[in-house]
Amino acid sequence: MSFPQHRPRRLRSTPAIRRLTAENRLSPAELVLPAFIREGLTEPVPISSMPGVVQHSSATLKRAAAEAAGLGIGGIMLFGIPAHRDATGSAGIDPDGVLNRAIADVRSEVGDALVIMSDVCLDEFTDHGHCGVLADDGAVDNDATLELYAQMAVAQANAGAHVLGPSGMMDGQVGVIRSALDDAGHQEISVLAYAAKYASAFYGPFREAVDSQLTGDRRTYQMDAANRREALHEVQLDLEEGADMVMVKPAMSYLDIVADVAAMSPVPVAAYQISGEYAMIEAAAANGWIDRRRSIEESVLGIKRAGAQIILTYWATELATWLKESK
Ligand code: PBG
């Protein structure tokens, strides 16, 4: 009988040796908390498909941002839900619109202690729910949308965002936003490009979170789940247009894309663990089918192991609390 010469199990024998030899560990600094603010709320409203996540009032958003900053979380990504929508999403550009006001509020609450990021996209603000304006034939008009993104980006920068996250998957969006920012004197504001964003069924709960008006889908502008090579093309284009960071979204069903992008990107790579990923784990845990905390930690660690340097997750605050406790 021959016994193995190599015994990897030695390095698994105690918690201390596992900790010593771990190849990856999470830290609050790399986490970004996505947060929703809804116009006119005096109390936060729970999002039923995302237990534990709310549409914030302005007061609770500020509190959540302060808490995140106190825990050493890296950033916050803001999404706004307006009281009134129209065909061109004008509330997204209005300096007094819900998102721009929230950016200013959060900035005055936490200053530079947290990287304040905002969603540059029209879908929360249009009455048809698409990420851009529609042409006469009902298709999303790429170039007309770019002009609005440029205005929206400048408004968000004026409001105090540090990083802008264009998520609409219009061709040329990063370049147009970069030059609009530069022309407005915002050379220091960064662009986190949603470079490889797929048309995903897992965005379902987000649609509830923002009261989306969308009836169809986004397959004419977001990427097809079948495609891998195309993600690198999208990233390449965004880099040429001046992206400061690039993002892959969703995360868990696209870890091959995260790894591919991490292998080629000269700039930081982010991944967004989206609403449906959150909802699946919460639902299974609520049924007692999986261990909630271990599943959350494993899911986020997996995204990091794949190569993401920045992770957007709705569990950012809770994870940071656990990381602090285990120190
Ligand atoms: C578009 C946007 C979406 C998400 C982030 N930005 C929705 C979509 O593309 O349909 C989804 C995030 C999530 O599901 O958690 N503004």
Side-chain angles (χ1 to χ4, degrees):
M1 202 158 177
S2 89
F3 289 97
Q5 297 301 303
H6 296 280
R7 294 183 180 270
R9 286 186 55 186
R10 285 182 191 124
L11 302 188
R12 298 177 195 141
S13 57
T14 67
I17 203 158
R18 291 196 294 273
R19 185 180 60 204
L20 177 71
T21 59
E23 295 178 39
N24 288 283
R25 61 190 99 241
L26 295 173
S27 97
E30 68 207 347
L31 303 178
V32 174
L33 174 69
F36 305 101
I37 165 110
R38 178 159 153 203
E39 187 164 11
L41 288 187
T42 49
E43 292 294 323
V45 173
I47 300 162
S48 62
S49 54
M50 300 179 74
V53 180
V54 299
Q55 295 177 332
H56 281 291
S57 69
S58 130
T60 63
L61 177 66
K62 281 190 264 187
R63 231 174 292 145
E67 184 185 20
L71 286 164
I73 285 175
I76 190 165
M77 172 65 85
L78 300 173
F79 297 92
I81 304 133
H84 302 289
R85 298 176 152 111
D86 60 23
T88 59
S90 57
I93 295 163
D94 182 353
D96 281 330
V98 60
L99 179 54
N100 291 325
R101 280 210 317 266
I103 293 167
D105 280 354
V106 170
R107 183 71 186 263
S108 66
E109 181 75 21
V110 301
D112 293 335
L114 207 54
V115 177
I116 300 167
M117 309 183 173
S118 52
D119 189 50
V120 184
C121 193
L122 290 170
D123 65 311
E124 291 94 356
F125 300 97
T126 53
D127 53 15
H128 45 72
H130 274 294
C131 293
V133 287
L134 305 183
D136 292 341
D137 63 358
V140 175
D141 185 332
N142 193 87
D143 297 10
T145 300
L146 292 181
E147 289 174 28
L148 298 178
Y149 284 0
Q151 294 171 36
M152 192 173 189
V154 171
Q156 293 181 354
N158 288 341
H162 298 103
V163 172
L164 305 187
S167 66
M169 290 300 281
M170 295 301 125
D171 293 334
Q173 63 185 11
V174 172
V176 164
I177 288 170
R178 181 71 268 155
S179 35
L181 290 173
D182 291 348
D183 289 348
H186 286 301
Q187 282 84 0
E188 78 289 3
I189 304 300
S190 312
V191 176
L192 165 60
Y194 284 66
K197 179 174 177 182
Y198 287 83
S200 173
F202 297 110
Y203 300 142
F206 181 93
R207 305 272 161 89
E208 181 199 343
V210 300
D211 297 332
S212 175
Q213 307 298 302
L214 187 72
T215 47
D217 60 52
R218 307 196 196 286
R219 288 172 200 265
T220 69
Y221 41 105
Q222 296 178 346
M223 287 179 61
D224 190 313
N227 296 352
R228 182 168 181 173
R229 177 177 33 231
E230 188 190 6
L232 298 182
H233 183 219
E234 284 281 6
V235 168
Q236 192 62 51
L237 290 171
D238 285 357
L239 290 171
E240 285 164 15
E241 291 174 32
D244 300 287
M245 298 175 264
V246 291
M247 179 142 75
V248 174
K249 179 182 176 185
M252 288 168 71
S253 298
Y254 298 87
L255 294 179
D256 55 335
I257 312 299
V258 174
D260 284 356
V261 173
M264 61 73 89
S265 175
V267 302
V269 175
Y272 195 144
Q273 184 180 48
I274 59 157
S275 59
E277 304 179 44
Y278 178 91
M280 285 192 290
I281 290 177
E282 288 290 349
N287 276 291
W289 296 337
I290 57 176
D291 181 287
R292 181 174 179 275
R293 176 167 172 172
R294 286 189 55 201
S295 303
I296 292 169
E297 290 171 339
E298 184 178 332
S299 69
V300 178
L301 190 58
I303 295 165
K304 174 156 185 175
R305 191 191 60 239
Q309 189 179 338
I310 298 166
I311 301 169
L312 284 76
T313 172
Y314 297 97
W315 288 302
T317 303
E318 194 170 9
L319 268 167
T321 308
W322 292 337
L323 289 164
K324 195 172 162 188
E325 285 165 4
S326 65
K327 276 241 173 78

